[in-house]
Amino acid sequence: MPRARQPELTRAALLAAASTVLREQGASLSLDAVARAAGISKGGLLHHYPTRDALLRALGAALIDDFRQRLTTAHAAELAAHGPARGAWLRAYIALTFTPDEDGQALHAALAPLAGHPALLAGLSEAQAFLLTEPEHDGLPAGTAHAIRLACDGYWMGDLTGLPRLNDTQVHALRETLTAWTR
């Protein structure tokens, strides 16, 4: 009896393996390592993702989707706890920014190698367009909303750029200030 093909499951397994390999090896991940981690032949990987960039682009898109789902859940929790007060979406964004998360770290690692490839980043930029529209619909002045979101983005980008890390007291002060700006 021939084995049933389930390309969606195979792609999901490859993306999960790529995320794991990125966490372990950083941006130097190899297709061989991803195939090995997924228990799939390299030819099988190449059937679904013909290049390393295609795999990283797909991983970036999947992690963006996952982040957006977690953000939607955090926003719903914020609304449930405090009602539809202004700044609720941004408070959820702040909460996710300052909560350590392996998938967030994998997202950063997946996106970093693509920085020098504008064509590859274009699709990921479109997938993240909600980061421009959602803050503006959160009841705060647009400049304040974007300043909060960009401060959050700058906080986690520090890991990618080698900026000095804030100590715990500084992180707490930053989070409290950003949250206060949402009220």
Side-chain angles (χ1 to χ4, degrees), residues 31 33 74 90 108 152 156:
L31 294 179
L90 284 161
H108 307 157
C152 289
W156 66 257

Side-chain angles (χ1 to χ4, degrees), residues 63 103-113 156-157 159-160:
L63 291 170
D103 285 336
Q105 293 168 347
L107 172 61
H108 307 157
L111 296 178
W156 66 257
M157 285 290 291
D159 287 339
L160 295 177

Side-chain angles (χ1 to χ4, degrees), residues 3 20 24 35 37 45 51 53 55 63 65-66 80 82 92 99 115 128-129 134 139 149 153 165:
R3 197 170 70 171
T20 299
E24 293 171 356
L45 182 151
T51 65
D53 285 347
L55 175 64
L63 291 170
D65 286 345
D66 178 65
H82 304 289
T99 302
Q128 297 182 85
E134 292 295 328
R149 201 246 331 150
D153 293 353
R165 297 293 298 156

Side-chain angles (χ1 to χ4, degrees), residues 73-89:
T73 300
H75 184 222
E78 177 68 27
L79 292 173
H82 304 289
R86 73 185 200 138
W89 187 91

